[in-house]
């Protein structure tokens, strides 16, 4: 079973994360991990922090001569903007962020104490461990990608870009929808025997844990709500060379909480970033008087980056489910276990 823990504030010394449960014998490519981190920083509409940080992971533990030991993998990504002790106090909570709820929950007098950890900067850790999980999954020809489906309701590249430019001009922000697809996933990951073992529940939960995500769909998603069963359930077929297959994939590769061998397809909605340069109404937490929300350096649109983070969140769950089914001590044993399984089901 995979376990991970992350720590670090947006303007603290570093973002650190530990990934426990990966097998021994996996060659880790640091260049590949850093390439994923660079993808996270990209996208039209990203903010000025992305010009400051050049996120690179430093492997602290769990690896010898570039190969995993089966012990916890510790990673550190330093913050070039290490300024937490000298940043100004924040006293007007931003609608949509953790500011007010966090202030009340933890009893702070400065919203900065909330936003430092609530910041989307924490997704650096998600992508660092997600990159490692991708490297593991690719040993079994499982590959994960993402694409932006819409921004501000527009779906063509040109119109999406126009929406972002319009948001910049209006000192506003804009959200959208991205899709993650996992190919090569074998039938049999996850299980219906317990709610917390259902693969769809685990995937949806991990995608939903990305800051700013407000909806997750699998396959046809809410489309099922406006259809008859005869229109949407994926009819089953069989062929000598492919074995069991489906004529359609409305289920998005998961039935009964178990991967069914089709592509796993997820869609998620990333809300518009909460910091607006033309701020919304809020309340000064000291005077309780009406005030404009705080303005923090931020992005105009992060939907493309959210797709990259969504890939990592998906990779983590699929790697966890894969290890749960085929063992997790050594890559060599897992490969043998997988070979025997594929032979049996074919
Ligand atoms: C981000 C880091 C943050 C923000 C942004 C994304 O850095 P800073 O606050 O120093 O600019 O730019 O965070 C948010 C959009 C948010 O709402 O928390 C990052 O690394 O992705």
């Amino acid at each position: 079973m995979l376990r991970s823990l992350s720590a670090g504030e947006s303007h603290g010394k570093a973002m650190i994360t530990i990934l426990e449960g990966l097998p021994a014998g996996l060659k880790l490519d640091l260049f590949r991990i850093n390439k994923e981190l660079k993808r996270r920083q990209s996208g039209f509409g990203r903010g000025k922090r992305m010009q400051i940080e050049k996120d690179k992971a430093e492997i602290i533990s769990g690896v010898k001569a570039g190969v995993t030991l089966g012990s916890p993998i510790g990673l550190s990504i330093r913050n070039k903007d290490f300024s937490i002790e000298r940043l100004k106090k924040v006293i007007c909570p931003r609608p949509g962020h953790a500011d007010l709820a966090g202030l009340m929950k933890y009893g702070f007098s400065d919203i900065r104490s909330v936003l430092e950890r609530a910041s989307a900067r924490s997704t650096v850790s998600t992508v660092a461990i997600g990159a490692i999980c991708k490297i593991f999954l690719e040993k079994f020809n499982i590959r994960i990608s993402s694409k932006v489906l819409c921004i501000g309701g527009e779906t063509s590249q040109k119109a999406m870009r126009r929406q972002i430019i319009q948001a910049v001009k209006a000192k506003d922000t804009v959200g959208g929808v991205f899709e993650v697809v996992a190919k090569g996933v074998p039938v049999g990951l996850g299980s219906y025997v317990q709610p917390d073992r259902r693969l769809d529940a685990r995937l949806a939960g991990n995608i939903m844990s990305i800051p700013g995500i407000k909806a997750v769909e699998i396959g046809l998603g809410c489309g099922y709500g406006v259809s008859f069963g005869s229109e949407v359930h994926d009819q089953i077929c069989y062929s000598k060379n492919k074995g069991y297959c489906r004529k359609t994939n409305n289920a998005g590769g998961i039935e009964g909480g178990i991967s069914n061998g089709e592509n796993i397809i997820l869609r998620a909605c990333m809300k518009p970033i909460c910091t607006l340069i033309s701020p919304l109404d809020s309340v000064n937490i000291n005077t309780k008087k009406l005030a404009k929300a705080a303005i923090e350096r931020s992005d105009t649109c992060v939907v493309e980056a959210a797709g990259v983070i969504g890939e990592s969140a998906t990779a983590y769950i699929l790697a966890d489910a894969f290890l749960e089914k085929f063992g997790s001590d050594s890559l060599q044993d897992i490969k043998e276990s997988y070979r025997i399984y594929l032979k049996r089901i074919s």
Side-chain angles (χ1 to χ4, degrees):
M1 181 181 79
L2 276 184
R3 290 186 296 172
S4 67
L5 205 56
S6 75
E9 280 68 41
S10 180
H11 305 100
K13 188 168 194 173
M15 307 309 287
I16 55 180
T17 191
I18 293 180
L19 176 62
E20 199 270 331
L22 216 60
L26 177 68
K27 187 167 176 17
L28 282 194
D29 174 0
L30 197 52
F31 177 78
R32 174 75 195 280
I33 296 170
N34 291 335
K35 192 174 149 214
E36 291 294 317
L37 290 172
K38 186 170 170 45
R39 288 183 66 219
R40 187 200 76 93
Q41 292 195 258
S42 61
F44 186 64
R46 279 298 240 152
K48 291 201 172 12
R49 182 75 187 269
M50 302 309 133
Q51 292 156 26
I52 299 169
E53 303 299 341
K54 300 288 173 269
D55 293 334
K56 291 214 179 334
E58 185 187 355
I59 296 178
I60 307 293
S61 68
V63 173
K64 179 173 174 297
V67 179
T68 55
L69 296 168
S71 50
I73 299 170
L75 296 163
S76 170
I77 295 128
R78 288 183 180 278
N79 290 325
K80 288 185 188 307
D81 184 357
F82 173 20
S83 57
I84 190 167
E85 300 305 346
R86 59 177 186 277
L87 288 170
K88 69 182 184 337
K89 220 173 168 176
V90 177
I91 54 171
C92 294
R94 297 163 295 171
H97 220 298
D99 296 5
L100 184 56
L103 183 89
M104 297 171 80
K105 173 184 172 71
Y106 292 100
F108 294 135
S109 59
D110 175 5
I111 293 171
R112 167 86 42 210
S113 302
V114 175
L115 69 87
E116 279 299 320
R117 181 60 187 165
S119 165
R121 179 85 185 137
S122 63
T123 60
V124 167
S125 300
T126 309
V127 171
I129 59 173
I132 294 174
C133 293
K134 280 183 167 185
I135 294 169
F136 169 72
L137 292 169
E138 285 163 10
K139 294 295 177 199
F140 303 94
N141 292 321
I142 297 170
R143 297 183 188 287
I144 302 169
S145 61
S146 67
K147 67 178 178 183
V148 174
L149 294 183
C150 87
I151 287 177
E154 297 293 346
T155 54
S156 74
Q157 286 299 325
K158 206 168 154 202
M160 290 197 278
R161 197 175 178 89
R162 193 172 52 235
Q163 289 292 68
I164 297 170
I165 292 166
Q166 190 177 327
V168 172
K169 285 179 181 164
K171 299 182 177 175
D172 206 335
T173 59
V174 65
V177 177
F178 63 84
E179 181 177 82
V180 174
V181 177
K183 294 186 175 176
V185 182
V187 58
L189 300 190
S191 176
Y192 49 72
V193 298
Q194 284 301 327
D196 64 356
R197 291 190 56 191
R198 295 180 79 98
L199 190 62
D200 40 2
R202 291 152 74 176
L203 285 166
N206 211 32
I207 299 266
M208 186 59 98
S209 75
I210 298 167
I213 298 292
K214 297 306 279 183
V216 181
E217 282 192 328
I218 294 178
L220 189 62
C222 288
Y224 278 107
V226 293
S227 313
F228 290 101
S230 56
E231 294 171 323
V232 289
H233 293 309
D234 304 308
Q235 297 186 80
I236 297 166
C237 35
Y238 185 88
S239 71
K240 272 247 180 290
N241 61 333
K242 280 177 73 179
Y244 289 113
C245 46
R246 297 297 196 291
K247 294 177 183 172
T248 52
N249 185 22
N250 291 316
I254 300 175
E255 287 170 314
I258 305 177
S259 58
N260 68 6
E262 299 297 325
N263 289 344
I264 289 185
I265 301 172
L266 305 142
R267 271 184 314 288
C269 170
M270 165 54 78
K271 71 184 183 187
I273 292 298
C274 308
T275 300
L276 304 186
I277 308 303
S278 170
L280 296 175
D281 287 348
S282 182
V283 171
N284 179 314
I285 57 172
N286 297 328
T287 64
K288 305 295 186 289
K289 293 254 186 299
L290 186 68
K292 288 298 178 188
I295 298 177
E296 282 291 308
R297 181 181 58 203
S298 186
D299 309 77
T300 302
C301 181
V302 293
V303 180
E304 186 177 337
V308 174
I309 303 160
E311 291 173 29
S312 287
T314 301
Y316 179 78
I317 295 299
L318 292 182
D320 182 37
F322 197 92
L323 293 167
E324 178 185 61
K325 180 155 182 63
F326 300 110
S328 60
D329 287 337
S330 93
L331 186 63
Q332 188 183 349
D333 293 351
I334 296 168
K335 282 182 175 176
E336 179 58 9
S337 167
Y338 189 49
R339 185 189 64 77
I340 293 166
Y341 175 71
L342 290 181
K343 191 163 178 284
R344 176 175 71 74
I345 61 170
S346 65

Short mmCIF file of all heavy atoms in Angstrom, two decimals, residues 172-229:
data_model
loop_
_atom_site.label_atom_id
_atom_site.label_comp_id
_atom_site.label_asym_id
_atom_site.label_seq_id
_atom_site.Cartn_x
_atom_site.Cartn_y
_atom_site.Cartn_z
N ASP A 172 -9.71 39.84 -13.47
CA ASP A 172 -10.53 38.72 -12.98
C ASP A 172 -9.74 37.42 -13.13
O ASP A 172 -8.55 37.46 -13.49
CB ASP A 172 -11.82 38.68 -13.84
CG ASP A 172 -12.99 38.04 -13.09
OD1 ASP A 172 -12.72 37.24 -12.18
OD2 ASP A 172 -14.14 38.35 -13.43
N THR A 173 -10.37 36.30 -12.86
CA THR A 173 -9.73 34.99 -13.08
C THR A 173 -10.77 34.11 -13.78
O THR A 173 -11.95 34.45 -13.84
CB THR A 173 -9.34 34.33 -11.74
OG1 THR A 173 -10.53 34.17 -10.93
CG2 THR A 173 -8.31 35.16 -10.99
N VAL A 174 -10.28 32.98 -14.31
CA VAL A 174 -11.21 32.11 -15.05
C VAL A 174 -10.84 30.65 -14.83
O VAL A 174 -9.65 30.31 -14.70
CB VAL A 174 -11.21 32.48 -16.56
CG1 VAL A 174 -9.86 32.21 -17.22
CG2 VAL A 174 -12.33 31.76 -17.30
N GLY A 175 -11.84 29.80 -14.73
CA GLY A 175 -11.62 28.37 -14.48
C GLY A 175 -11.97 27.56 -15.71
O GLY A 175 -12.16 28.11 -16.80
N GLY A 176 -12.07 26.26 -15.51
CA GLY A 176 -12.40 25.40 -16.65
C GLY A 176 -12.41 23.94 -16.28
O GLY A 176 -12.40 23.58 -15.10
N VAL A 177 -12.42 23.10 -17.32
CA VAL A 177 -12.52 21.65 -17.13
C VAL A 177 -11.36 20.97 -17.85
O VAL A 177 -11.00 21.37 -18.96
CB VAL A 177 -13.86 21.12 -17.70
CG1 VAL A 177 -13.95 19.59 -17.58
CG2 VAL A 177 -15.03 21.77 -16.98
N PHE A 178 -10.76 19.97 -17.21
CA PHE A 178 -9.71 19.18 -17.87
C PHE A 178 -10.09 17.70 -17.81
O PHE A 178 -10.95 17.29 -17.02
CB PHE A 178 -8.33 19.42 -17.22
CG PHE A 178 -8.22 19.00 -15.79
CD1 PHE A 178 -7.95 17.68 -15.42
CD2 PHE A 178 -8.43 19.93 -14.75
CE1 PHE A 178 -7.86 17.29 -14.10
CE2 PHE A 178 -8.32 19.55 -13.41
CZ PHE A 178 -8.05 18.24 -13.09
N GLU A 179 -9.47 16.93 -18.67
CA GLU A 179 -9.73 15.49 -18.71
C GLU A 179 -8.41 14.74 -18.52
O GLU A 179 -7.37 15.16 -19.05
CB GLU A 179 -10.32 15.10 -20.07
CG GLU A 179 -10.65 13.62 -20.22
CD GLU A 179 -11.30 13.32 -21.57
OE1 GLU A 179 -10.56 13.19 -22.57
OE2 GLU A 179 -12.55 13.25 -21.62
N VAL A 180 -8.45 13.69 -17.74
CA VAL A 180 -7.27 12.82 -17.54
C VAL A 180 -7.63 11.45 -18.12
O VAL A 180 -8.73 10.93 -17.87
CB VAL A 180 -6.92 12.68 -16.05
CG1 VAL A 180 -5.78 11.65 -15.85
CG2 VAL A 180 -6.50 14.04 -15.46
N VAL A 181 -6.72 10.87 -18.90
CA VAL A 181 -6.94 9.54 -19.45
C VAL A 181 -5.77 8.64 -19.06
O VAL A 181 -4.60 9.03 -19.23
CB VAL A 181 -7.06 9.58 -20.99
CG1 VAL A 181 -7.22 8.17 -21.56
CG2 VAL A 181 -8.26 10.44 -21.40
N ALA A 182 -6.09 7.46 -18.52
CA ALA A 182 -5.06 6.46 -18.19
C ALA A 182 -5.24 5.28 -19.14
O ALA A 182 -6.33 4.67 -19.17
CB ALA A 182 -5.18 6.00 -16.75
N LYS A 183 -4.20 4.99 -19.92
CA LYS A 183 -4.28 3.90 -20.91
C LYS A 183 -3.45 2.71 -20.44
O LYS A 183 -2.44 2.88 -19.75
CB LYS A 183 -3.75 4.40 -22.27
CG LYS A 183 -4.61 5.48 -22.88
CD LYS A 183 -4.16 5.87 -24.29
CE LYS A 183 -5.16 6.88 -24.90
NZ LYS A 183 -4.74 7.37 -26.22
N GLY A 184 -3.89 1.52 -20.82
CA GLY A 184 -3.13 0.31 -20.49
C GLY A 184 -3.43 -0.25 -19.11
O GLY A 184 -2.74 -1.15 -18.64
N VAL A 185 -4.44 0.29 -18.44
CA VAL A 185 -4.78 -0.20 -17.09
C VAL A 185 -5.45 -1.58 -17.22
O VAL A 185 -6.42 -1.73 -17.95
CB VAL A 185 -5.74 0.78 -16.39
CG1 VAL A 185 -6.06 0.29 -14.97
CG2 VAL A 185 -5.14 2.19 -16.33
N PRO A 186 -4.93 -2.57 -16.51
CA PRO A 186 -5.50 -3.91 -16.64
C PRO A 186 -6.85 -4.00 -15.93
O PRO A 186 -7.15 -3.18 -15.05
CB PRO A 186 -4.48 -4.80 -15.92
CG PRO A 186 -3.86 -3.91 -14.89
CD PRO A 186 -3.80 -2.55 -15.54
N VAL A 187 -7.66 -4.98 -16.31
CA VAL A 187 -8.91 -5.21 -15.57
C VAL A 187 -8.52 -5.74 -14.19
O VAL A 187 -7.51 -6.43 -14.03
CB VAL A 187 -9.78 -6.25 -16.33
CG1 VAL A 187 -9.06 -7.55 -16.53
CG2 VAL A 187 -11.10 -6.46 -15.62
N GLY A 188 -9.27 -5.30 -13.15
CA GLY A 188 -9.08 -5.90 -11.84
C GLY A 188 -8.49 -5.02 -10.75
O GLY A 188 -8.31 -5.47 -9.62
N LEU A 189 -8.19 -3.75 -11.04
CA LEU A 189 -7.67 -2.87 -9.96
C LEU A 189 -8.87 -2.32 -9.18
O LEU A 189 -9.88 -1.94 -9.77
CB LEU A 189 -6.84 -1.72 -10.54
CG LEU A 189 -5.60 -2.10 -11.36
CD1 LEU A 189 -4.77 -0.84 -11.64
CD2 LEU A 189 -4.76 -3.17 -10.68
N GLY A 190 -8.74 -2.25 -7.85
CA GLY A 190 -9.84 -1.79 -7.00
C GLY A 190 -10.77 -2.95 -6.70
O GLY A 190 -10.58 -4.07 -7.19
N SER A 191 -11.80 -2.70 -5.90
CA SER A 191 -12.75 -3.76 -5.57
C SER A 191 -14.06 -3.19 -5.07
O SER A 191 -14.11 -2.07 -4.55
CB SER A 191 -12.17 -4.68 -4.49
OG SER A 191 -13.14 -5.66 -4.11
N TYR A 192 -15.13 -3.98 -5.24
CA TYR A 192 -16.45 -3.54 -4.74
C TYR A 192 -16.67 -3.99 -3.29
O TYR A 192 -17.68 -3.70 -2.69
CB TYR A 192 -17.58 -4.13 -5.62
CG TYR A 192 -17.43 -5.61 -5.84
CD1 TYR A 192 -17.67 -6.53 -4.81
CD2 TYR A 192 -16.99 -6.10 -7.07
CE1 TYR A 192 -17.50 -7.89 -5.00
CE2 TYR A 192 -16.82 -7.46 -7.27
CZ TYR A 192 -17.07 -8.36 -6.23
OH TYR A 192 -16.89 -9.70 -6.43
N VAL A 193 -15.69 -4.75 -2.71
CA VAL A 193 -15.98 -5.38 -1.40
C VAL A 193 -16.08 -4.37 -0.25
O VAL A 193 -16.71 -4.66 0.76
CB VAL A 193 -14.94 -6.47 -1.06
CG1 VAL A 193 -14.96 -7.60 -2.08
CG2 VAL A 193 -13.54 -5.87 -0.94
N GLN A 194 -15.43 -3.22 -0.43
CA GLN A 194 -15.54 -2.18 0.61
C GLN A 194 -15.61 -0.82 -0.08
O GLN A 194 -14.90 -0.61 -1.08
CB GLN A 194 -14.31 -2.18 1.55
CG GLN A 194 -14.30 -3.32 2.58
CD GLN A 194 -15.49 -3.32 3.49
OE1 GLN A 194 -16.04 -2.26 3.84
NE2 GLN A 194 -15.96 -4.51 3.83
N PRO A 195 -16.42 0.13 0.44
CA PRO A 195 -16.48 1.45 -0.21
C PRO A 195 -15.10 2.07 -0.44
O PRO A 195 -14.84 2.65 -1.49
CB PRO A 195 -17.31 2.28 0.77
CG PRO A 195 -18.15 1.27 1.50
CD PRO A 195 -17.30 0.03 1.61
N ASP A 196 -14.22 1.92 0.54
CA ASP A 196 -12.91 2.61 0.38
C ASP A 196 -11.94 1.85 -0.52
O ASP A 196 -10.80 2.27 -0.68
CB ASP A 196 -12.29 2.86 1.76
CG ASP A 196 -11.94 1.56 2.49
OD1 ASP A 196 -12.26 0.47 1.96
OD2 ASP A 196 -11.38 1.67 3.59
N ARG A 197 -12.41 0.74 -1.09
CA ARG A 197 -11.53 0.03 -2.04
C ARG A 197 -11.99 0.24 -3.48
O ARG A 197 -11.34 -0.21 -4.41
CB ARG A 197 -11.48 -1.46 -1.70
CG ARG A 197 -10.73 -1.73 -0.39
CD ARG A 197 -10.47 -3.18 -0.15
NE ARG A 197 -9.73 -3.79 -1.26
CZ ARG A 197 -9.57 -5.12 -1.38
NH1 ARG A 197 -10.12 -5.92 -0.50
NH2 ARG A 197 -8.89 -5.63 -2.39
N ARG A 198 -13.10 0.97 -3.63
CA ARG A 198 -13.61 1.20 -4.98
C ARG A 198 -12.65 2.15 -5.72
O ARG A 198 -12.35 3.25 -5.22
CB ARG A 198 -15.02 1.78 -4.94
CG ARG A 198 -16.04 0.80 -4.34
CD ARG A 198 -17.43 1.41 -4.31
NE ARG A 198 -18.04 1.34 -5.63
CZ ARG A 198 -18.90 0.39 -6.02
NH1 ARG A 198 -19.24 -0.58 -5.18
NH2 ARG A 198 -19.42 0.38 -7.22
N LEU A 199 -12.21 1.76 -6.88
CA LEU A 199 -11.20 2.55 -7.60
C LEU A 199 -11.74 3.93 -7.99
O LEU A 199 -11.02 4.93 -7.89
CB LEU A 199 -10.74 1.80 -8.86
CG LEU A 199 -9.53 2.39 -9.59
CD1 LEU A 199 -8.28 2.39 -8.70
CD2 LEU A 199 -9.26 1.64 -10.90
N ASP A 200 -13.03 3.99 -8.35
CA ASP A 200 -13.61 5.29 -8.75
C ASP A 200 -13.65 6.24 -7.56
O ASP A 200 -13.31 7.42 -7.68
CB ASP A 200 -15.00 5.11 -9.37
CG ASP A 200 -15.85 4.06 -8.67
OD1 ASP A 200 -15.39 3.47 -7.66
OD2 ASP A 200 -16.98 3.82 -9.14
N ALA A 201 -13.99 5.69 -6.39
CA ALA A 201 -14.05 6.54 -5.19
C ALA A 201 -12.66 7.06 -4.84
O ALA A 201 -12.48 8.24 -4.50
CB ALA A 201 -14.62 5.74 -4.02
N ARG A 202 -11.66 6.18 -4.96
CA ARG A 202 -10.28 6.59 -4.60
C ARG A 202 -9.75 7.64 -5.58
O ARG A 202 -9.13 8.62 -5.20
CB ARG A 202 -9.38 5.36 -4.57
CG ARG A 202 -9.72 4.44 -3.41
CD ARG A 202 -9.39 2.99 -3.70
NE ARG A 202 -7.96 2.69 -3.66
CZ ARG A 202 -7.47 1.45 -3.81
NH1 ARG A 202 -8.30 0.44 -4.02
NH2 ARG A 202 -6.19 1.21 -3.77
N LEU A 203 -10.03 7.43 -6.86
CA LEU A 203 -9.57 8.39 -7.87
C LEU A 203 -10.29 9.74 -7.69
O LEU A 203 -9.65 10.79 -7.65
CB LEU A 203 -9.84 7.86 -9.28
CG LEU A 203 -8.90 6.75 -9.76
CD1 LEU A 203 -9.47 6.08 -11.00
CD2 LEU A 203 -7.49 7.31 -10.04
N ALA A 204 -11.61 9.69 -7.54
CA ALA A 204 -12.37 10.94 -7.41
C ALA A 204 -11.93 11.70 -6.17
O ALA A 204 -11.74 12.93 -6.20
CB ALA A 204 -13.86 10.63 -7.34
N GLY A 205 -11.69 10.97 -5.08
CA GLY A 205 -11.26 11.62 -3.84
C GLY A 205 -9.91 12.30 -3.98
O GLY A 205 -9.72 13.43 -3.53
N ASN A 206 -8.99 11.64 -4.67
CA ASN A 206 -7.64 12.22 -4.78
C ASN A 206 -7.62 13.40 -5.75
O ASN A 206 -6.92 14.38 -5.53
CB ASN A 206 -6.63 11.15 -5.22
CG ASN A 206 -5.25 11.43 -4.65
OD1 ASN A 206 -5.13 11.98 -3.54
ND2 ASN A 206 -4.21 11.11 -5.38
N ILE A 207 -8.43 13.33 -6.79
CA ILE A 207 -8.53 14.48 -7.71
C ILE A 207 -9.21 15.65 -6.99
O ILE A 207 -8.78 16.80 -7.05
CB ILE A 207 -9.36 14.10 -8.96
CG1 ILE A 207 -8.69 12.97 -9.72
CG2 ILE A 207 -9.60 15.34 -9.85
CD1 ILE A 207 -7.79 13.32 -10.83
N MET A 208 -10.23 15.33 -6.21
CA MET A 208 -10.97 16.39 -5.48
C MET A 208 -10.06 17.06 -4.43
O MET A 208 -10.29 18.20 -4.03
CB MET A 208 -12.20 15.79 -4.82
CG MET A 208 -13.12 16.77 -4.15
SD MET A 208 -13.78 18.02 -5.29
CE MET A 208 -15.35 17.30 -5.66
N SER A 209 -9.01 16.35 -4.02
CA SER A 209 -8.13 16.93 -2.98
C SER A 209 -7.17 17.98 -3.55
O SER A 209 -6.44 18.63 -2.81
CB SER A 209 -7.31 15.82 -2.32
OG SER A 209 -6.26 15.40 -3.20
N ILE A 210 -7.19 18.16 -4.86
CA ILE A 210 -6.34 19.20 -5.47
C ILE A 210 -6.98 20.56 -5.19
O ILE A 210 -8.17 20.73 -5.45
CB ILE A 210 -6.22 18.98 -7.00
CG1 ILE A 210 -5.57 17.63 -7.30
CG2 ILE A 210 -5.45 20.13 -7.66
CD1 ILE A 210 -5.72 17.21 -8.76
N PRO A 211 -6.24 21.52 -4.64
CA PRO A 211 -6.84 22.83 -4.33
C PRO A 211 -7.54 23.43 -5.55
O PRO A 211 -6.98 23.45 -6.65
CB PRO A 211 -5.63 23.68 -3.94
CG PRO A 211 -4.62 22.70 -3.42
CD PRO A 211 -4.81 21.47 -4.24
N GLY A 212 -8.80 23.83 -5.37
CA GLY A 212 -9.53 24.50 -6.45
C GLY A 212 -10.47 23.61 -7.24
O GLY A 212 -11.30 24.09 -8.03
N ILE A 213 -10.37 22.29 -7.05
CA ILE A 213 -11.26 21.36 -7.78
C ILE A 213 -12.64 21.37 -7.11
O ILE A 213 -12.74 21.23 -5.90
CB ILE A 213 -10.68 19.94 -7.81
CG1 ILE A 213 -9.34 19.92 -8.54
CG2 ILE A 213 -11.67 18.96 -8.46
CD1 ILE A 213 -9.42 20.20 -10.03
N LYS A 214 -13.69 21.54 -7.93
CA LYS A 214 -15.04 21.59 -7.35
C LYS A 214 -15.96 20.50 -7.89
O LYS A 214 -17.09 20.36 -7.44
CB LYS A 214 -15.69 22.96 -7.58
CG LYS A 214 -14.98 24.12 -6.92
CD LYS A 214 -14.78 23.93 -5.41
CE LYS A 214 -16.01 24.27 -4.60
NZ LYS A 214 -15.74 24.14 -3.14
N ALA A 215 -15.51 19.72 -8.88
CA ALA A 215 -16.33 18.60 -9.37
C ALA A 215 -15.42 17.60 -10.08
O ALA A 215 -14.42 17.99 -10.69
CB ALA A 215 -17.39 19.11 -10.34
N VAL A 216 -15.78 16.31 -9.94
CA VAL A 216 -15.05 15.24 -10.63
C VAL A 216 -16.08 14.30 -11.26
O VAL A 216 -17.11 14.00 -10.64
CB VAL A 216 -14.16 14.44 -9.65
CG1 VAL A 216 -13.38 13.35 -10.40
CG2 VAL A 216 -13.20 15.35 -8.91
N GLU A 217 -15.80 13.89 -12.50
CA GLU A 217 -16.70 12.93 -13.17
C GLU A 217 -15.85 11.77 -13.70
O GLU A 217 -14.72 11.98 -14.09
CB GLU A 217 -17.35 13.59 -14.38
CG GLU A 217 -18.48 14.52 -14.08
CD GLU A 217 -19.23 14.89 -15.37
OE1 GLU A 217 -18.60 14.96 -16.45
OE2 GLU A 217 -20.44 15.08 -15.28
N ILE A 218 -16.46 10.59 -13.73
CA ILE A 218 -15.77 9.44 -14.33
C ILE A 218 -16.59 8.97 -15.53
O ILE A 218 -17.81 8.80 -15.41
CB ILE A 218 -15.58 8.32 -13.30
CG1 ILE A 218 -14.60 8.84 -12.21
CG2 ILE A 218 -15.03 7.05 -13.95
CD1 ILE A 218 -14.33 7.89 -11.10
N GLY A 219 -15.94 8.84 -16.66
CA GLY A 219 -16.65 8.45 -17.87
C GLY A 219 -17.72 9.48 -18.22
O GLY A 219 -17.48 10.67 -18.21
N LEU A 220 -18.90 8.98 -18.48
CA LEU A 220 -20.01 9.87 -18.89
C LEU A 220 -20.43 10.78 -17.74
O LEU A 220 -21.06 11.82 -17.92
CB LEU A 220 -21.18 9.01 -19.36
CG LEU A 220 -22.37 9.70 -20.02
CD1 LEU A 220 -21.93 10.42 -21.30
CD2 LEU A 220 -23.46 8.68 -20.34
N GLY A 221 -20.13 10.40 -16.52
CA GLY A 221 -20.41 11.23 -15.35
C GLY A 221 -21.88 11.63 -15.24
O GLY A 221 -22.77 10.77 -15.30
N CYS A 222 -22.15 12.93 -15.15
CA CYS A 222 -23.54 13.39 -15.00
C CYS A 222 -24.37 13.10 -16.23
O CYS A 222 -25.61 13.16 -16.19
CB CYS A 222 -23.56 14.89 -14.70
SG CYS A 222 -22.99 15.25 -13.03
N GLY A 223 -23.70 12.74 -17.33
CA GLY A 223 -24.44 12.35 -18.55
C GLY A 223 -25.34 11.15 -18.31
O GLY A 223 -26.36 10.96 -18.98
N TYR A 224 -24.97 10.33 -17.31
CA TYR A 224 -25.82 9.17 -16.99
C TYR A 224 -27.19 9.63 -16.48
O TYR A 224 -28.19 8.93 -16.62
CB TYR A 224 -25.17 8.33 -15.88
CG TYR A 224 -24.12 7.36 -16.37
CD1 TYR A 224 -22.78 7.60 -16.13
CD2 TYR A 224 -24.48 6.19 -17.05
CE1 TYR A 224 -21.81 6.70 -16.56
CE2 TYR A 224 -23.51 5.30 -17.48
CZ TYR A 224 -22.18 5.55 -17.23
OH TYR A 224 -21.22 4.67 -17.66
N GLY A 225 -27.20 10.84 -15.89
CA GLY A 225 -28.43 11.31 -15.26
C GLY A 225 -29.50 11.72 -16.25
O GLY A 225 -30.66 11.92 -15.88
N VAL A 226 -29.11 11.87 -17.51
CA VAL A 226 -30.10 12.31 -18.51
C VAL A 226 -30.29 11.24 -19.59
O VAL A 226 -30.69 11.53 -20.71
CB VAL A 226 -29.65 13.64 -19.17
CG1 VAL A 226 -29.67 14.78 -18.15
CG2 VAL A 226 -28.24 13.51 -19.77
N SER A 227 -29.94 9.99 -19.23
CA SER A 227 -30.02 8.92 -20.25
C SER A 227 -30.78 7.71 -19.73
O SER A 227 -30.94 7.54 -18.53
CB SER A 227 -28.59 8.47 -20.61
OG SER A 227 -27.76 9.58 -20.83
N PHE A 228 -31.18 6.88 -20.69
CA PHE A 228 -31.74 5.57 -20.33
C PHE A 228 -30.59 4.55 -20.32
O PHE A 228 -29.60 4.72 -21.03
CB PHE A 228 -32.81 5.17 -21.36
CG PHE A 228 -34.06 6.01 -21.26
CD1 PHE A 228 -34.28 7.06 -22.15
CD2 PHE A 228 -34.98 5.79 -20.24
CE1 PHE A 228 -35.42 7.86 -22.04
CE2 PHE A 228 -36.13 6.58 -20.13
CZ PHE A 228 -36.34 7.62 -21.03
N GLY A 229 -30.77 3.48 -19.56
CA GLY A 229 -29.72 2.45 -19.45
C GLY A 229 -29.32 1.90 -20.81
O GLY A 229 -28.15 1.73 -21.10
#
